[in-house]
Amino acid sequence: MTMRSEALTMTKDGRLSAMKARFFGPTARQKLLAFASLVLLLIFFSFASPVFMQIDNILGILQSTAVNGVLAIACTFVIITGGIDLSVGTLMTFCAVMAGVFLTYWELPMWIGVVAAIATGALSGVVSGTLIAKMKIPPFIATLGMMMLLKGLSLVVSGTRPIYFNNTENFPMISQDSLIGLALPNLPIPNAVLILFALAALASVVLNRTALGRYTFALGSNEEAVRLSGVNVDRWKIAIYGLGGSICGVAGLLIASRLNSAQPALGQGYELEAIAAVVIGGTSLSGGAGTILGTIIGAFIMSVLTNGLRILSVAQEWQTVVTGVIIILAVYADILRRRKV
Amino acid sequence: MTMRSEALTMTKDGRLSAMKARFFGPTARQKLLAFASLVLLLIFFSFASPVFMQIDNILGILQSTAVNGVLAIACTFVIITGGIDLSVGTLMTFCAVMAGVFLTYWELPMWIGVVAAIATGALSGVVSGTLIAKMKIPPFIATLGMMMLLKGLSLVVSGTRPIYFNNTENFPMISQDSLIGLALPNLPIPNAVLILFALAALASVVLNRTALGRYTFALGSNEEAVRLSGVNVDRWKIAIYGLGGSICGVAGLLIASRLNSAQPALGQGYELEAIAAVVIGGTSLSGGAGTILGTIIGAFIMSVLTNGLRILSVAQEWQTVVTGVIIILAVYADILRRRKV
Amino acid sequence: DDIYIPLISKGFQHQFWQAVKAGAEQAAKEGNAKISFEGPETEAMVDKQIDMLSADLAKHPNAIGFAALDSKAAIPLLKKAQAEHIPVIAFDSGVDSDIPLTTCTTDNLAAAGLAADKMAEMIGDAGEVAVIVHDQTSRTGIDRRDGFLNEMKAKHPNVKIVSVQYGAGDHLKSAEIAKAMIQANPNLKGIFGANEGSAEGAAIGVKESGKKLVLIGYDSGKEQKEAIISGAMAGAITQNPVGIGKCVVESALKALKGEKLPKVIDTGFYWYDKSNITDPKVAAVLYD
Amino acid sequence: MTPLIAIRGLSKSFPGVRALSDVQFELMAGEVHALMGENGAGKSTLMKILAGVYSRDAGEILYDGEPVSFSSPRAAQAAGVGIIHQELQLMNHLTVAQNIFIGREPRRLGVFLDEEKLNRQARDILEHMNLQLNPRAVVGALTVAKQQMVEIAKALSFNSRVLIMDEPTAALNNAEIAELFKMIRELKARGVGIVYISHKMDELKQISDRVTILRDGEYVATVPTQTTSMESIISMMVGRTLTEKPRAENATPLGDVALEVSNLNCGPLVRDISFTLRKGEILGFAGLMGAGRTEVARAVFGADKVRSGEIFVDGAKAAIKSPQQAVARGIGYLSEDRKRYGLATSMDVESNVVMSDLGKFLSLRFFLRKLAIRETVTKFINLLDIRTPSATQEVRLLSGGNQQKIVVAKWLVRDCEILFFDEPTRGIDVGAKNEIYKLLRNLADRGKAIVMISSELPEILRMSDRIVVMCEGRITGELLAKDATQERIMQLATQRETLNAA
Ligand SMILES: Nc1ncnc2c1ncn2[C@@H]1O[C@H](COP(=O)(O)OP(=O)(O)OP(=O)(O)O)[C@@H](O)[C@H]1O
Ligand SMILES: Nc1ncnc2c1ncn2[C@@H]1O[C@H](COP(=O)(O)OP(=O)(O)OP(=O)(O)O)[C@@H](O)[C@H]1O
Ligand SMILES: [Mg+2]
Ligand SMILES: [Mg+2]
């Protein structure tokens, strides 16, 4: 059983990455080296615990990566511009709460809730972007302020209690059911994971093949030069933060669907995890460089690490210590790799 | 009564700021405009609540600024170099825990505990600095990793329980007693506040009148140019992080002395508050510019705001919202001011 | 093979949870079982708790102890446990479902109600009172707050609650909140701190403000015990966390042996003050 | 005929500086109009106002006789006014093609970028300019010279009616300059009006029709180039007559060997480099762009990791692994890219000048001696005639040429025995250039050993006692000053390895 599922996972991973390599732009091959840390972790935990590579646990890891992965994708755009977004966690929550308001309080159809969550995210992103682009407030502070603002608003709007999606029967499906499982009953990969990968592919296309992506890199490289080239820098910046916000809306839907509720107090602290995933994935905090594939790998490094330490029943305080050390080492590995290449 | 204490506070403030203006370097006069936001808040809360300007409450605000103010001073150095330190909060806790280990577990004399806390901070700062300078790990990630590492270590070392300073009778004096109160019984300003101001003055001297300070600015302005000027950039950077760490050690002593215990689970979240204070005070997150006076004002803006909202019994969720908005506005005000000058 | 029972709690850094852990470890030792104990950093992190539950289920444990942050969110995983015939023992607050074989719990609402009665008694059944709670959204926070508030409203109409604020269980924040409350309400007669950090922080705040007022705490802890002995704190409610921990593991072991369990096991709560703190029955449930 | 651009009564002040006052300027279609003036005269500021980067305080700008006021570079560009900035404004992480077409990317289906077409168009432009540049090359990895080419290519690609070139040739060699001039003539023939700013006086006669001269932010005169002598233009610029002295023969005999480099290897551009440098000598390093002169200097200075080779200072073997060690051994290096490697631009003049030798200005090895610093800095401000409102002005607010002088001052303060000057006069006006020449000569006379890297052959010929010529990372020859000619140097500078083998 263990052997079979192990093999299964490996080929899946192999195929996936091959697809991604073709998909995620020309520097992808080089970036695949970022797998090294991930593979090392996987190997270590497989040897350390027979449970780790079992299909159930792998599915658990995949599921637990979804939310952080999506948030990390949102952060990737912003970080490539040389900015930062500390509000992603609480924005996710606020979007979930807004979905709850539309679906549970107002009893509207599910698709409206989905649209509302994403629109809320986009709107909040546009506000952050405007603060940054028009009012010249440093991204760190603008999004820190937004983080607090949204945290408060989530509590206000929800009346400080969770909103349950009892009226919307299909809501949990968004994240928990498995479309793949219908076709391959042995591989009930939850939809959340599909959404993560679909979003990653989409984000990769946007980043590498559209004007928005081009300006994302350009702004991070030299904003003044872009401005002097006659590009409407402010508008693009706002658009990028808006895009990031709408991706947070997707994260909000995923987490709400997974918990079948909007938990208004949740969210703070998630931003650091997302940013860590982005940087572990090789995106530079000083802007101008980064890939979605790297981010996804970074998110997996984080969740594999967390899961593995749990599986080994490492004492929780030591888990924190180890996670801190591994984050540093993973980024260091990435730095060494780039120095060599 | 209200009137009198108000007048009292105002002249005190006036004298203090006059002293500071002379003390804190040539750009100080210009920086005094940063007071604007603070004064506005003070005026608003004085009108909104008769209680706000009472001497007891003012003393309370002063006391409550101490820890965040000291952490913000630590952050100021690092931020001026263009770096960031996310570990200040948990480092403070770890230093407090180490003080507890020396004083309560090993029953050593108080001064050893004080030295131990500050040395612990310096050591941890040196580790962060080394990760950043030698291993080229971005400050955000290096200190995020350290933040987690230290959080875990605090729990490990303390055995996940508070350490009480019962053996060290004079320990609470560090923060709570009032040297000034001995001379002026009407003005029992707690020692914590004295320590804050003394540290601020010292930090200001270091920043403006020493080689370390000069390199702090220079590193933030153009690190490569400094390196090519033949300066040992790595050594200075490590020294700056070390200095920041040792200041966190002071914060650890202040909080431990105030709570008469080292609370190992506390600390996360304090870093964002400290960074917010620094930036509100006009220090640029991109490095190269900043003042200690500004940071202190920033810290007071934060604590006045928190205290005022509590005094008004504003609902907690709205407190969060308002704080977020005010942080953004305060920084915006600073930006406008600088644009005009 | 050893029997393995993971406990997923609501937190791990607070003394309360550490005491639950200690109780569970004690029972596990007696019953020759192995346990692990894990909980998210804050009681808001519902999804992290679900991840923990998921990882623990993957270990194919013999039984599971679970203190749900949000019981509805955990139901899919609990169903999975049921399908795999893993007995689930709920603790602290109940899981809204019939999957758990039993729930080791205290009635937080009633316990906080008792705190309200004591408070009213000590301030002469009239006057202003404030409440410092550790969390605005978690079950324990809500229950303790509402238990206190409802009891006052129902039984002590002359006692006015002037402020309810939240300090995240952080000693420093709670101390600042207490000071601000005292400042804003000069006639304040009492403060209720709804968990260890809130109560101990409040004690510091009260001490610094130099006022004398009735402080009632919740949970136990070295500082709190000393404050009660010294008179700085009038008294406190304690649950029996060690008992809860024991109850979880013992119930799980019983379930594995096929014994039938009652739907709820009340581990009880106690009022303790200067007068009864050394009483062996009370002392047994205190911890630090 | 209405002028394409007419500027009247233009004024502009920055805090503490009156950059322009009542300036006028006129540009006809099909004209190359040179704008001349000393460092800080206000040339760049004037052009930035025209291009919509800064707003003006007073005055008017007529474009085709219509008053205009461009609120942004975008507006100016849309109206057909393009500019090549003095300081490179490129996105280092993007490719050449992406830089050229930033903001105007060809698209498919309205959203997707057409990368093929982008690269094709870029290649066309580069080929038209006769540039050996791969459109897919990442700009950050290019040399300053090539980056400058990218800037030019970008500006040309706009098909502007007015094209402003602010020191476009500062980083180019003669062949490249010739190529650029060819382009300019083509544009001129198409009726484009070109504003040309340069400190290289010889270029004026070659390319410009008229010259407008600014001095200290004020308009001095506009004269036709052909009928005006160079001397009178210079005297209008500096307000006095300059006498350019021919190369002074080295009066003092050369001293001992100060620096010996043997078989130095470091990357592809430093291959088997050996040379000696004597006290009191100015050793010129000549070569084409990309020859590796900068890399040699950086390798000796410890800024890059050396693969192999030895360095002897004063006859003793020196292990130099970092700039710090180099400076400790008395070696200084003035980088060619002042903004990136030379200056902390957000700091004030004072801090920059004492940066490399702060130790000298400390008491108790820790506290700054502010008075001593101020004194020294004031001395150098006067010595080098640095135009700054005060010693505490932020460096980024100074004009390009004055920034360069601050880099020079920084190394003069340190008083190194061996100095590498990498393009020391880039962007410096004629008057100041003379000052720097005098200074270099002075230093040499005082026994300092100097390496001067320069792409301007006249400068090399005028200043050097001995000339080393590099090509593709190797030293291809060494000439004594008396044997050196431009032709001889160019021959060595193009002596490629492949040709050698054949
Ligand atoms: N943004 C600014 N803020 C303050 N002062 C400025 C600013 N830009 C330019 N100046 C000042 O305005 C004056 C004119 O500068 P400008 O750059 O136009 O000179 P320039 O003629 O181009 O000189 P160079 O030949 O050295 O490039 C200088 O004194 C400079 O210090
Ligand atoms: N940062 C860099 N990264 C990669 N390659 C670089 C970098 N800087 C320079 N190069 C390469 O080094 C080569 C030569 O550099 P450089 O032009 O500085 O030499 P040089 O002889 O000093 O020329 P110049 O006359 O321009 O000073 C260029 O071909 C360029 O590709
Ligand atoms: Mg200029
Ligand atoms: Mg060069």
Side-chain angles (χ1 to χ4, degrees):
Chain A
M1 158 81 186
T2 312
M3 283 309 292
R4 205 177 38 140
S5 64
E6 200 171 328
L8 209 141
T9 326
M10 290 316 268
T11 54
K12 183 176 59 68
D13 253 290
R15 238 183 300 131
L16 258 177
S17 61
M19 184 203 76
K20 274 190 232 147
R22 241 175 298 130
F23 211 73
F24 286 54
T27 53
R29 202 154 324 166
Q30 173 181 336
K31 284 280 161 197
L32 281 185
L33 283 169
F35 259 132
S37 308
L38 181 56
V39 170
L40 232 72
L41 279 178
L42 287 173
I43 292 175
F44 172 78
F45 284 123
S46 315
F47 278 100
S49 162
V51 170
F52 180 76
M53 269 297 179
Q54 282 176 12
I55 188 88
D56 274 3
N57 194 47
I58 298 291
L59 288 177
I61 293 176
L62 286 170
Q63 171 78 279
S64 74
T65 315
V67 167
N68 187 35
V70 171
L71 288 182
I73 292 175
C75 281
T76 306
F77 281 89
V78 169
I79 292 178
I80 292 176
T81 67
I84 201 151
D85 195 342
L86 299 179
S87 69
V88 291
T90 57
L91 175 55
M92 165 184 82
T93 298
F94 186 59
C95 294
V97 168
M98 288 308 286
V101 167
F102 277 74
L103 296 182
T104 302
Y105 289 2
W106 299 345
E107 306 192 354
L108 294 167
M110 188 162 107
W111 68 269
I112 295 188
V114 170
V115 171
I118 294 176
T120 304
L123 190 72
S124 161
V126 164
V127 173
S128 296
T130 308
L131 292 174
I132 294 162
K134 296 285 183 190
M135 291 165 67
K136 311 290 174 213
I137 296 173
F140 194 97
I141 287 296
T143 58
L144 176 66
M146 287 298 287
M147 168 178 120
M148 306 193 69
L149 178 77
L150 291 165
K151 186 167 112 182
L153 282 185
S154 295
L155 292 169
V156 169
V157 171
S158 67
T160 64
R161 50 176 47 92
I163 305 179
Y164 294 96
F165 293 90
N166 293 333
N167 303 324
T168 319
E169 232 169 80
N170 291 334
F171 196 73
M173 275 180 39
I174 298 180
S175 162
Q176 293 170 350
D177 275 20
S178 172
L179 281 181
I180 293 189
L182 291 180
L184 306 167
N186 285 329
L187 207 64
I189 296 180
N191 290 344
V193 179
L194 282 196
I195 292 176
L196 170 65
F197 283 122
L199 200 67
L202 202 69
S204 214
V205 169
V206 171
L207 198 54
N208 294 309
R209 314 228 170 238
T210 69
L212 187 98
R214 176 61 42 83
Y215 295 128
T216 305
F217 284 106
L219 287 176
S221 188
N222 186 346
E223 184 176 328
E224 190 54 21
V226 182
R227 192 189 310 277
L228 292 175
S229 303
V231 175
N232 190 336
V233 165
D234 293 355
R235 213 184 56 195
W236 285 107
K237 214 187 242 181
I238 293 171
I240 292 163
Y241 278 86
L243 175 67
S246 61
I247 298 175
C248 293
V250 175
L253 287 170
L254 287 182
I255 200 166
S257 154
R258 176 148 186 229
L259 303 177
N260 199 16
S261 59
Q263 299 284 344
L266 173 158
Q268 196 166 1
Y270 287 59
E271 69 284 352
L272 291 181
E273 228 168 294
I275 294 169
V278 173
V279 180
I280 290 173
T283 294
S284 154
L285 276 171
S286 48
T291 60
I292 299 290
L293 176 59
T295 294
I296 298 293
I297 293 172
F300 271 103
I301 288 177
M302 300 283 289
S303 56
V304 164
L305 182 62
T306 312
N307 176 280
L309 293 172
R310 272 182 197 146
I311 289 288
L312 297 183
S313 296
V314 173
Q316 200 153 354
E317 51 272 33
W318 283 108
Q319 287 188 21
T320 320
V321 174
V322 172
T323 307
V325 173
I326 298 278
I327 287 179
I328 292 174
L329 288 184
V331 172
Y332 187 53
D334 186 63
I335 288 168
L336 285 184
R337 170 182 69 72
R338 264 182 292 174
R339 207 175 289 165
K340 255 184 237 151
V341 173
Chain B
M1 158 76 187
T2 311
M3 281 309 293
R4 206 177 39 137
S5 64
E6 200 171 328
L8 207 141
T9 326
M10 291 314 270
T11 54
K12 184 176 59 69
D13 253 291
R15 238 182 303 131
L16 259 175
S17 61
M19 183 203 76
K20 274 188 230 148
R22 240 173 302 129
F23 210 73
F24 286 52
T27 53
R29 203 154 324 168
Q30 174 182 338
K31 285 281 161 194
L32 282 187
L33 284 169
F35 260 132
S37 308
L38 180 55
V39 170
L40 232 72
L41 279 178
L42 287 175
I43 292 176
F44 172 78
F45 284 122
S46 314
F47 278 100
S49 162
V51 169
F52 181 76
M53 267 298 177
Q54 281 173 13
I55 187 88
D56 276 1
N57 194 48
I58 297 290
L59 288 176
I61 293 176
L62 285 169
Q63 170 83 292
S64 74
T65 315
V67 167
N68 186 37
V70 171
L71 288 182
I73 292 175
C75 280
T76 305
F77 281 89
V78 168
I79 292 178
I80 292 177
T81 68
I84 200 151
D85 194 342
L86 298 179
S87 70
V88 291
T90 58
L91 176 54
M92 164 185 83
T93 298
F94 187 59
C95 293
V97 167
M98 288 308 286
V101 167
F102 277 74
L103 296 182
T104 302
Y105 288 2
W106 297 345
E107 306 191 354
L108 294 167
M110 187 163 108
W111 70 268
I112 296 189
V114 170
V115 171
I118 294 175
T120 304
L123 190 73
S124 162
V126 165
V127 172
S128 296
T130 308
L131 292 174
I132 292 162
K134 297 285 183 190
M135 291 164 68
K136 311 289 173 214
I137 296 173
F140 194 98
I141 288 296
T143 59
L144 177 67
M146 288 299 286
M147 167 178 121
M148 305 192 70
L149 179 77
L150 291 165
K151 186 165 107 183
L153 282 184
S154 296
L155 292 169
V156 168
V157 170
S158 67
T160 344
R161 51 170 48 91
I163 306 179
Y164 296 96
F165 293 90
N166 293 334
N167 303 324
T168 318
E169 234 168 77
N170 291 334
F171 196 72
M173 274 181 39
I174 299 180
S175 161
Q176 289 164 313
D177 274 20
S178 173
L179 281 181
I180 293 189
L182 292 181
L184 307 167
N186 285 330
L187 207 64
I189 296 180
N191 289 345
V193 179
L194 283 195
I195 294 177
L196 170 66
F197 282 120
L199 201 67
L202 203 71
S204 215
V205 169
V206 171
L207 199 53
N208 294 310
R209 312 234 164 227
T210 71
L212 187 96
R214 182 54 60 86
Y215 289 126
T216 305
F217 284 106
L219 287 177
S221 183
N222 187 347
E223 184 175 328
E224 190 57 17
V226 179
R227 190 172 83 95
L228 289 178
S229 299
V231 176
N232 192 335
V233 164
D234 292 355
R235 213 186 53 195
W236 285 108
K237 212 186 245 181
I238 292 171
I240 292 163
Y241 278 86
L243 175 66
S246 61
I247 297 176
C248 293
V250 175
L253 288 170
L254 287 182
I255 197 169
S257 155
R258 178 132 187 240
L259 303 179
N260 198 19
S261 61
Q263 297 288 343
L266 176 156
Q268 196 167 1
Y270 284 59
E271 68 285 350
L272 290 182
E273 227 165 297
I275 294 169
V278 174
V279 180
I280 289 174
T283 295
S284 154
L285 276 170
S286 48
T291 61
I292 299 290
L293 176 59
T295 294
I296 298 294
I297 293 172
F300 272 104
I301 288 178
M302 299 284 291
S303 56
V304 164
L305 183 63
T306 313
N307 176 279
L309 293 173
R310 276 184 193 146
I311 290 281
L312 297 183
S313 289
V314 173
Q316 188 104 1
E317 52 273 30
W318 284 108
Q319 287 189 20
T320 319
V321 173
V322 172
T323 308
V325 172
I326 298 279
I327 288 179
I328 291 175
L329 288 183
V331 173
Y332 186 54
D334 187 63
I335 289 168
L336 285 184
R337 171 182 70 71
R338 265 183 293 175
R339 206 176 289 166
K340 254 184 239 153
V341 172
Chain C
D1 249 22
D2 265 359
I3 292 171
Y4 172 54
I5 308 167
L7 272 66
I8 298 107
S9 105
K10 294 179 179 178
F12 80 106
Q13 300 165 337
H14 288 110
Q15 292 319 292
F16 181 80
W17 300 116
Q18 287 291 319
V20 173
K21 183 180 174 187
E25 273 167 351
Q26 218 174 307
K29 212 166 144 202
E30 284 161 12
N32 267 333
K34 210 171 108 250
I35 66 150
S36 62
F37 189 95
E38 232 186 335
E41 270 166 37
T42 74
E43 293 189 12
M45 296 180 156
V46 181
D47 66 320
K48 303 274 166 187
Q49 197 191 37
I50 302 282
D51 282 340
M52 290 174 179
L53 184 57
S54 157
D56 279 339
L57 278 175
K59 288 189 259 184
H60 305 294
N62 302 80
I64 273 190
F66 184 53
L69 287 174
D70 186 302
S71 56
K72 285 184 197 143
I75 285 178
L77 280 173
L78 291 178
K79 281 194 180 137
K80 198 172 141 197
Q82 192 182 33
E84 292 181 17
H85 306 291
I86 300 172
V88 177
I89 312 295
F91 65 101
D92 193 59
S93 49
V95 174
D96 262 349
S97 131
D98 40 5
I99 296 171
L101 300 177
T102 186
T103 304
C104 302
T105 184
T106 356
D107 189 344
N108 267 309
L109 279 164
L114 176 57
D117 291 337
K118 292 282 181 187
M119 174 71 81
E121 183 189 319
M122 283 183 225
I123 62 173
D125 215 10
E128 294 182 350
V129 168
V131 183
I132 302 176
V133 189
H134 52 288
D135 200 305
Q136 197 170 5
T137 56
S138 75
R139 200 67 257 156
T140 51
I142 292 171
D143 283 352
R144 292 174 192 182
R145 178 194 64 196
D146 290 351
F148 190 86
L149 264 52
N150 293 343
E151 179 76 4
M152 281 296 183
K153 212 161 136 197
K155 301 246 180 81
H156 313 284
N158 292 329
V159 176
K160 200 176 149 217
I161 309 285
V162 288
S163 182
V164 179
Q165 300 203 32
Y166 306 85
D170 178 317
H171 290 65
L172 187 61
K173 283 208 183 93
S174 305
E176 306 287 11
I177 289 173
K179 276 173 91 173
M181 282 172 161
I182 292 167
Q183 196 62 39
N185 306 286
N187 301 322
L188 198 66
K189 283 193 174 162
I191 294 180
F192 171 52
N195 82 338
E196 182 199 348
S198 309
E200 292 185 1
I204 291 167
V206 170
K207 193 176 99 204
E208 286 182 3
S209 76
K211 286 256 173 72
K212 282 237 41 110
L213 40 76
V214 177
L215 185 59
I216 288 179
Y218 206 109
D219 292 347
S220 176
K222 199 170 172 183
E223 184 91 340
Q224 228 177 145
K225 276 158 60 179
E226 274 170 20
I228 286 172
I229 291 167
S230 75
M233 203 181 274
I237 299 286
T238 182
Q239 294 174 282
N240 180 5
V242 179
I244 291 176
K246 273 189 194 162
C247 166
V248 174
V249 175
E250 282 164 4
S251 304
L253 291 172
K254 280 183 195 160
L256 289 174
K257 285 189 200 126
E259 284 179 39
K260 189 119 179 60
L261 295 168
K263 204 62 221 158
V264 174
I265 301 173
D266 192 340
T267 51
F269 57 82
Y270 305 86
W271 165 259
Y272 67 107
D273 55 23
K274 222 177 193 167
S275 66
N276 71 347
I277 194 162
T278 49
D279 180 339
K281 212 177 98 206
V282 170
V285 299
L286 296 181
Y287 55 94
D288 49 31
Chain D
M1 190 173 137
T2 40
L4 193 52
I5 293 284
I7 294 175
R8 289 200 200 101
L10 198 89
S11 295
K12 172 80 183 171
S13 291
F14 295 109
V17 188
R18 189 159 178 79
L20 294 172
S21 90
D22 196 18
V23 168
Q24 64 188 73
F25 180 78
E26 197 182 78
L27 178 69
M28 310 300 288
E31 175 191 40
V32 177
H33 195 141
L35 189 56
M36 302 295 288
E38 286 180 290
N39 296 133
K43 308 179 292 293
S44 299
T45 305
L46 180 61
M47 289 303 116
K48 281 182 186 169
I49 290 172
L50 177 55
V53 180
Y54 291 157
S55 62
R56 57 186 184 246
D57 296 344
E60 61 174 352
I61 300 175
L62 303 180
Y63 184 34
D64 274 338
E66 299 289 323
V68 289
S69 165
F70 301 128
S71 57
S72 69
R74 185 188 184 75
Q77 224 158 56
V81 177
I83 182 166
I84 301 171
H85 287 279
Q86 179 175 10
E87 307 290 344
L88 292 172
Q89 293 291 357
L90 293 166
M91 289 134 281
N92 285 337
H93 293 88
L94 303 191
T95 67
V96 170
Q98 290 168 353
N99 262 282
I100 292 175
F101 286 102
I102 190 77
R104 302 170 295 153
E105 294 81 3
R107 300 194 190 173
R108 262 183 305 202
L109 307 173
V111 263
F112 296 106
L113 300 175
D114 190 343
E115 219 48 26
E116 295 306 313
K117 194 167 165 198
L118 181 78
N119 285 319
R120 207 167 345 110
Q121 289 181 348
R123 183 170 310 115
D124 289 347
I125 292 174
L126 295 171
E127 265 169 18
H128 184 68
M129 290 174 65
N130 249 330
L131 275 182
Q132 304 298 318
L133 256 181
N134 180 359
R136 296 170 197 270
V138 175
V139 160
L142 300 176
T143 56
V144 179
K146 286 187 177 162
Q147 291 180 352
Q148 182 78 65
M149 302 290 207
V150 176
E151 279 276 28
I152 294 168
K154 180 173 156 190
L156 291 182
S157 71
F158 271 103
N159 296 321
S160 306
R161 292 181 60 210
V162 175
L163 186 55
I164 302 161
M165 300 185 170
D166 197 348
E167 303 196 31
T169 58
L172 303 188
N173 68 25
N174 288 342
E176 291 150 6
I177 292 171
E179 208 57 56
L180 177 66
F181 286 179
K182 209 174 91 196
M183 301 291 311
I184 290 178
R185 288 191 190 101
E186 270 174 37
L187 291 172
K188 200 174 135 161
R190 291 217 310 262
V192 176
I194 291 163
V195 184
Y196 190 86
I197 301 176
S198 174
H199 289 293
K200 299 182 180 175
M201 305 301 295
D202 54 322
E203 290 175 357
L204 286 195
K205 288 273 186 214
Q206 290 181 51
I207 197 70
S208 73
D209 302 310
R210 286 193 294 168
V211 184
T212 288
I213 294 126
L214 297 182
R215 187 167 70 227
D216 292 335
E218 284 173 26
Y219 173 81
V220 177
T222 301
V223 294
T225 316
Q226 292 314 319
T227 58
T228 317
S229 77
M230 226 19 95
E231 288 71 32
S232 62
I233 291 178
I234 290 174
S235 70
M236 281 188 273
M237 276 169 60
V238 300
R240 66 201 141 94
T241 345
L242 279 185
T243 47
E244 183 155 339
K245 279 186 247 135
R247 201 185 107 76
E249 275 309 314
N250 202 346
T252 43
L254 297 184
D256 299 337
V257 173
L259 175 73
E260 185 178 345
V261 172
S262 91
N263 299 317
L264 196 66
N265 282 290
C266 168
L269 284 158
V270 180
R271 289 148 65 194
D272 251 348
I273 298 294
S274 304
F275 64 92
T276 56
L277 174 67
R278 290 176 175 281
K279 289 182 178 160
E281 181 184 38
I282 297 179
L283 177 64
F285 261 70
L288 297 180
M289 141 182 128
R293 297 161 297 166
T294 296
E295 279 67 17
V296 169
R298 286 177 59 94
V300 173
F301 189 61
D304 296 328
K305 210 177 234 152
V306 169
R307 181 146 29 91
S308 67
E310 288 171 334
I311 296 167
F312 301 88
V313 177
D314 288 332
K317 190 166 181 310
I320 294 174
K321 292 209 177 64
S322 68
Q324 188 205 1
Q325 287 167 343
V327 172
R329 302 306 296 258
I331 304 176
Y333 168 64
L334 280 84
S335 153
E336 62 183 331
D337 187 343
R338 57 179 172 254
K339 226 165 104 184
R340 235 159 82 196
Y341 301 126
L343 293 166
T345 49
S346 71
M347 298 185 83
D348 57 14
V349 172
E350 194 168 274
S351 306
N352 274 283
V353 170
V354 297
M355 180 90 75
S356 61
D357 201 12
L358 201 57
K360 210 158 69 186
F361 300 96
L362 297 181
S363 58
L364 303 173
R365 305 184 63 195
F366 197 58
F367 294 97
L368 300 174
R369 286 162 49 211
K370 293 216 161 175
L371 276 180
I373 291 176
R374 181 63 55 84
E375 220 168 86
T376 307
V377 171
T378 312
K379 193 177 91 196
F380 280 100
I381 287 177
N382 294 332
L383 182 72
L384 298 178
D385 193 22
I386 298 172
R387 303 281 167 86
T388 170
S390 78
T392 51
Q393 179 81 337
E394 276 179 46
V395 166
R396 79 191 154 84
L397 301 179
L398 300 184
S399 78
N402 282 306
Q403 291 183 359
Q404 182 71 25
K405 291 185 193 170
I406 288 169
V407 182
V408 175
K410 175 167 100 176
W411 287 104
L412 293 181
V413 167
R414 175 76 206 197
D415 201 22
C416 289
E417 292 306 309
I418 301 163
L419 280 167
F420 285 80
F421 286 85
D422 196 351
E423 312 282 1
T425 61
R426 175 175 291 168
I428 286 192
D429 65 55
V430 276
K433 237 179 210 170
N434 272 328
E435 294 303 320
I436 287 184
Y437 294 155
K438 255 199 284 182
L439 215 138
L440 283 177
R441 184 42 69 198
N442 242 325
L443 288 170
D445 288 346
R446 276 166 40 205
K448 311 272 180 204
I450 291 171
V451 170
M452 186 183 82
I453 301 170
S454 170
S455 302
E456 288 184 52
L457 288 180
E459 183 172 288
I460 288 271
L461 288 168
R462 180 178 158 192
M463 294 303 298
S464 318
D465 298 315
R466 203 157 42 100
I467 297 162
V468 167
V469 189
M470 285 188 66
C471 177
E472 293 180 342
R474 294 165 304 119
I475 291 180
T476 49
E478 205 181 292
L479 303 165
L480 284 179
K482 60 179 186 341
D483 311 327
T485 59
Q486 295 215 11
E487 292 68 31
R488 188 79 191 98
I489 293 175
M490 282 315 290
Q491 195 189 340
L492 288 169
T494 52
Q495 191 176 323
R496 306 179 56 187
E497 211 162 20
T498 41
L499 296 181
N500 246 2

